[in-house]
Amino acid sequence: MDIFRLDQGSVPLLISLPHDGSHIPDDIAARMHPAARRSPDTDWHVARLYAPLAQVLGASLLRPLASRYVVDLNRPADGHALYPGKRETGLVSTIGFDGEPLYLEGEPEAAEVQRRVNDYWRPYHAALQQELARLRSLHGRVVLWEGHSIRSRVPMLFDGRLPDLNLGTADGASCSPSLQQRLEGVLGAQDRFDYAVNGRFKGGYITRQYGRPDDGVDAVQLEMTQRNYMDEDSFDWDESKAAVLRNAIEPLLRACLV
């Protein structure tokens, strides 16, 4: 099967959606608990949210087909922890966000983990790097926008309800101060959604790894709570809610093109 889909744009903006995929190959799914086969921790429908905006703005859009349960594209390939000392899912996770095991018995061994890295992780990151290089060569600078979503309540990872919009810039290290200032200005100018900047979500591996503002690459992560565009229990899309959220995302993306 195809590993990812890349729609190339013309402006200096690449929208990456590394957790949009939900497909789990049959040989892997057969070893998983029935509930895990649904890939419930997918960033559901984020491509559906972003694709119209990417088309209007002329931005590039990159997303995988496989689930994060196959391999997490937003984790380092060597598997080291993103949040040392805290409970988290991993490169090839064995638990879900509810803390329950994903596999019926046993866990993927090192050789299988490496195969998944080679088959899924490396092609996605190669495409990401190549598209960043292409856009930077055209424009001199490029913004990498990491689009994510999550349930509004994830007790294993966080206390209470998460803010609606969570902007992460690795505490200002992954993007220029001027870009962060513009984005904070956009968030502060609206009153529909509550938000946090470099709060519980500071940016994952991709934001931290590729954000090099001194080298012409600004990276920003936006983690949105799913209650604002879908039903969190059934995973069903809610068009009326999504339209409102999309209207809030668009000025953030436009601020990246100033």
Side-chain angles (χ1 to χ4, degrees):
M1 77 170 200
D2 292 335
I3 303 303
F4 59 84
R5 178 176 175 182
L6 171 62
D7 298 315
Q8 291 186 317
S10 57
V11 302
L13 175 62
L14 169 57
I15 300 170
S16 164
L17 309 174
H19 295 151
D20 179 69
S22 59
H23 176 73
I24 302 175
D26 290 344
D27 61 322
I28 297 175
R31 297 152 52 199
M32 302 179 83
H33 286 282
R37 295 170 195 164
R38 298 181 68 203
S39 190
D41 298 324
T42 297
D43 291 11
W44 293 105
H45 309 301
V46 287
R48 190 170 179 178
L49 271 172
Y50 278 102
L53 296 174
Q55 187 171 16
V56 167
L57 296 173
S60 297
L61 185 67
L62 175 65
R63 68 267 206 193
L65 276 71
S67 165
R68 68 190 302 160
Y69 288 172
V70 177
V71 66
D72 194 329
L73 302 171
N74 202 30
R75 293 291 187 275
D78 62 8
H80 76 256
L82 279 179
Y83 307 98
K86 296 183 179 180
R87 197 176 190 192
E88 61 177 313
T89 55
L91 174 68
V92 173
S93 193
T94 58
I95 60 169
F97 284 174
D98 59 2
E100 295 298 317
L102 300 180
Y103 291 87
L104 292 166
E105 57 182 342
E107 299 178 357
E109 297 182 352
E112 181 181 353
V113 170
Q114 190 58 54
R115 282 196 300 272
R116 296 193 200 180
V117 168
N118 292 340
D119 291 346
Y120 298 94
W121 194 99
R122 296 197 187 285
Y124 188 88
H125 281 262
L128 184 68
Q129 293 169 30
Q130 290 165 13
E131 186 62 8
L132 286 175
R134 184 184 74 87
L135 293 173
R136 186 172 175 274
S137 70
L138 290 174
H139 302 282
R141 295 192 67 83
V142 61
V143 176
L144 169 60
W145 185 274
E146 276 286 290
H148 293 263
S149 75
I150 193 170
R151 283 175 171 267
S152 56
R153 295 182 184 274
V154 189
M156 186 188 85
L157 302 177
F158 309 106
D159 294 329
R161 181 182 71 80
L162 288 164
D164 297 322
L165 303 175
N166 299 268
L167 188 74
T169 65
D171 287 325
S174 68
C175 78
S176 67
S178 59
L179 175 55
Q180 179 165 327
Q181 193 171 49
R182 291 197 303 273
L183 294 171
E184 289 188 36
V186 172
L187 289 170
Q190 59 82 43
D191 58 10
R192 173 62 180 81
F193 302 102
D194 58 14
Y195 68 91
V197 178
N198 288 314
R200 298 174 182 179
F201 297 96
K202 299 179 186 294
Y205 172 76
I206 292 176
T207 304
R208 302 180 202 180
Q209 176 68 18
Y210 294 103
R212 298 288 184 269
D214 291 343
D215 295 328
V217 180
D218 292 305
V220 176
Q221 175 180 293
L222 183 67
E223 185 86 56
M224 307 172 296
T225 51
Q226 294 172 344
R227 74 190 188 110
N228 290 299
Y229 69 90
M230 58 174 271
D231 183 278
E232 293 185 336
D233 295 321
S234 67
F235 311 147
D236 288 343
W237 170 265
D238 187 319
E239 179 57 41
S240 60
K241 286 185 176 181
V244 176
L245 180 58
R246 194 181 284 123
N247 286 338
I249 298 171
E250 182 172 357
L252 291 167
L253 297 179
R254 289 191 181 277
C256 296
L257 298 172
V258 174

